[in-house]
């Protein structure tokens, strides 16, 4: 992944993870797997876990510790009402930017 793509993802990964959680609750590894299924194949698990700490501190998700058969309890993340509002705003901003960028790209051709 190039530096430009990494920088672009840095600004949007929070919204992308919240969008992933809009599809259902998940623990960290599941979230990373969902991202990879969506084509974000270079997303490091450590990046996702650091982001989950941030969105938990921002109170955008609810967290429940669930027993695991394979080790310590897992933290399962769910999108809460504040997170849904944040996600709605993310999509509004994303659509605004995408339309303008698409227009610029069309003008170039």
């Amino acid at each position: 992944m190039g530096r430009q793509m990494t920088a672009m993802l840095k600004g949007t990964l929070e919204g992308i993870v919240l969008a992933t959680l809009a599809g259902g609750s998940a623990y960290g590894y599941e979230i990373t797997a969902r991202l990879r299924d969506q084509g974000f194949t270079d997303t490091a698990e450590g990046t996702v876990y650091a982001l989950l700490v941030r969105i938990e501190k921002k109170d955008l998700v609810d967290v429940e510790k669930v027993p695991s058969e394979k080790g310590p309890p897992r933290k399962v993340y769910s999108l809460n009402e504040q997170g849904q509002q944040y996600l709605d705003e993310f999509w509004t901003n994303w659509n605004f930017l995408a339309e303008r960028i698409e227009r610029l790209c069309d003008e170039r051709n």
Side-chain angles (χ1 to χ4, degrees):
M1 185 180 316
R3 284 187 308 171
Q4 193 176 45
M5 178 63 95
T6 300
M8 292 172 93
L9 272 177
K10 225 178 203 179
T12 56
L13 195 55
E14 202 169 270
I16 293 167
V17 167
L18 291 174
T20 298
L21 288 172
S25 303
Y27 56 93
Y29 180 79
E30 287 178 315
I31 294 167
T32 303
R34 287 181 188 174
L35 291 172
R36 289 181 178 154
D37 287 346
Q38 292 293 323
F40 300 103
T41 54
D42 290 340
T43 305
E45 212 170 319
T47 300
V48 173
Y49 282 105
L51 190 143
L52 289 170
V53 169
R54 278 200 315 271
I55 63 175
E56 183 180 353
K57 284 183 180 174
K58 289 181 175 181
D59 198 27
L60 299 175
V61 291
D62 292 331
V63 180
E64 180 183 0
K65 285 193 175 181
V66 176
S68 169
E69 296 173 6
K70 296 181 180 178
R74 291 178 171 157
K75 286 175 115 178
V76 175
Y77 299 86
S78 303
L79 191 64
N80 62 24
E81 188 176 324
Q82 191 170 328
Q84 183 62 57
Q85 290 173 356
Y86 184 94
L87 181 59
D88 292 344
E89 186 179 336
F90 171 82
W91 286 129
T92 299
N93 291 328
W94 176 261
N95 289 329
F96 175 85
L97 288 171
E99 283 177 25
R100 269 104 195 130
I101 291 169
E102 188 70 32
R103 195 180 311 154
L104 287 169
C105 188
D106 288 345
E107 288 173 7
R108 182 183 64 131
N109 296 324

